[in-house]
């Protein structure tokens, strides 16, 4: 069980061509079980970098990240992989659906990765999550047959179907028109209201009033993070 994620004075640097660049600088953030957070920032502000750190994909250049007081920097690559697989669900900006698998098979593939072998259990989970996102009638469709909004809903379903303790959502409306973006935000707002686990959404969305959500709102700008509501 992950009760807390804590970032202590986190910086992340890159050194292209010998020029030191700070993608993130001196970030402090404590996330507790049940917290829902929206991190807003323009393109290039460091959102994807911060997601990769909170998601245990990468480690900071300076500072420490703790999962339940265990330092991420002290974990091996295999330990971080196991942490991600066991506790974290990802929703990627490009959907990352497997093209040659149907919607149902994409969801089933994720359950198999998480070691759920019982077919009846998997089918029940798939049926329930498709009902939740109102896409039961698309279960046999391939990704190329879905609209952008439908792909995003499936990507969200795939992240949630394993009941993760932490869900990280990257630019959920970046590829969508306003109508589909509004629909996805309504779904995410429902998740924010219903969920008891950690939910962090990264976005540059400016078309929708994000302050209407009950989540804590942060601004990430020039590699610095501050709470705005």
């Amino acid at each position: 069980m992950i009760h807390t994620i804590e970032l202590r004075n986190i910086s992340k640097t890159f050194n292209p061509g010998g020029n030191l660049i700070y993608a993130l600088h001196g970030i402090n953030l404590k996330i507790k079980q049940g917290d829902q957070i929206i991190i807003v920032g323009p393109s290039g502000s460091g959102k994807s970098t911060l997601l990769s750190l909170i998601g245990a994909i990468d480690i900071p250049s300076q500072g420490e990240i703790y999962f339940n007081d265990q330092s991420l920097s002290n974990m091996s690559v295999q330990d971080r992989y196991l942490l991600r697989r066991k506790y974290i669900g990802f929703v990627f900006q490009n959907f990352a659906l497997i093209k040659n698998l149907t919607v149902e098979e994409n969801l089933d593939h994720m359950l198999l990765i998480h070691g759920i072998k019982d077919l009846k259990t998997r089918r029940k989970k798939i049926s329930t999550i498709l009902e939740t996102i109102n896409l039961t009638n698309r279960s046999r469709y391939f990704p190329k047959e879905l609209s952008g909004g439908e792909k995003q809903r499936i990507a969200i379903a795939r992240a949630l179907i394993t009941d993760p303790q932490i869900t990280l959502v990257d630019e959920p409306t970046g590829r969508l028109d306003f109508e589909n973006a509004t629909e996805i935000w309504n779904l995410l707002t429902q998740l924010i209201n219903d969920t008891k686990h950690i939910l962090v959404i990264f976005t540059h969305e400016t078309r929708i009033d994000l302050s209407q959500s009950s989540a804590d709102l942060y601004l990430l700008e020039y590699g610095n993070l501050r709470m705005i509501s």
Side-chain angles (χ1 to χ4, degrees):
M1 174 72 73
I2 298 295
H3 296 288
T4 60
I5 305 171
E6 187 170 3
L7 285 67
R8 299 181 188 173
N9 200 29
I10 291 302
S11 294
K12 184 65 179 180
T13 58
F14 299 97
N15 193 23
N19 297 314
L20 188 65
I21 296 174
Y22 275 85
L24 299 171
H25 186 71
I27 289 179
N28 291 283
L29 179 65
K30 188 170 185 178
I31 309 171
K32 304 183 299 296
Q33 183 181 356
D35 283 352
Q36 293 90 45
I37 293 172
I38 299 174
I39 296 177
V40 184
S43 296
S45 61
K47 296 190 303 297
S48 294
T49 301
L50 184 55
L51 182 149
S52 71
L53 295 176
I54 296 176
I57 296 171
D58 200 0
I59 57 175
S61 303
Q62 300 172 22
E64 294 288 345
I65 300 177
Y66 294 91
F67 285 78
N68 286 353
D69 298 321
Q70 184 179 3
S71 172
L72 194 67
S73 298
N74 291 336
M75 295 182 191
S76 67
V77 172
Q78 177 68 7
D79 286 341
R80 286 193 281 122
Y81 165 74
L82 293 173
L83 185 149
R84 292 194 302 271
R85 190 178 73 172
K86 185 173 183 179
Y87 296 113
I88 305 176
F90 293 91
V91 181
F92 297 104
Q93 182 178 4
N94 64 354
F95 316 127
L97 301 176
I98 301 174
K99 295 179 181 180
N100 62 340
L101 298 182
T102 65
V103 165
E104 187 176 63
E105 289 167 343
N106 266 278
L107 297 174
D108 194 46
H109 178 71
M110 183 58 66
L111 292 171
L112 287 169
I113 287 175
H114 281 75
I116 302 175
K117 297 181 179 180
D118 182 69
L119 179 59
K120 185 176 180 180
T121 299
R122 299 201 315 270
R123 284 179 174 172
K124 183 176 181 179
K125 280 182 168 290
I126 292 168
S127 175
T128 299
I129 199 75
L130 287 175
E131 287 179 12
T132 299
I133 63 170
N134 196 28
L135 281 182
T136 299
N137 62 340
R138 296 290 193 267
S139 64
R140 301 296 177 87
Y141 282 45
F142 289 92
K144 67 180 181 180
E145 300 173 302
L146 303 174
S147 68
E150 289 170 340
K151 290 177 184 176
Q152 189 60 279
R153 279 192 275 167
I154 295 301
I156 292 170
R158 185 186 53 190
L160 296 177
I161 198 168
T162 57
D163 302 313
Q165 293 180 24
I166 305 158
T167 304
L168 305 178
V169 184
D170 187 21
E171 296 288 7
T173 58
R175 291 171 171 252
L176 305 179
D177 59 28
F178 180 74
E179 182 178 352
N180 277 304
T182 302
E183 182 180 317
I184 291 300
W185 271 109
N186 288 339
L187 174 59
L188 290 171
T189 298
Q190 176 188 334
L191 294 175
I192 289 169
N193 292 335
D194 292 346
T195 189
K196 301 301 180 187
H197 67 253
I198 291 170
L199 175 64
V200 186
I201 301 170
F202 298 81
T203 182
H204 67 259
E205 181 61 67
T206 58
R207 298 168 294 177
I208 297 170
D209 184 4
L210 304 181
S211 66
Q212 297 301 310
S213 166
S214 61
D216 292 330
L217 195 59
Y218 287 79
L219 175 65
L220 182 62
E221 197 171 30
Y222 307 115
N224 298 294
L225 185 71
R226 64 181 176 89
M227 191 173 186
I228 55 178
S229 71

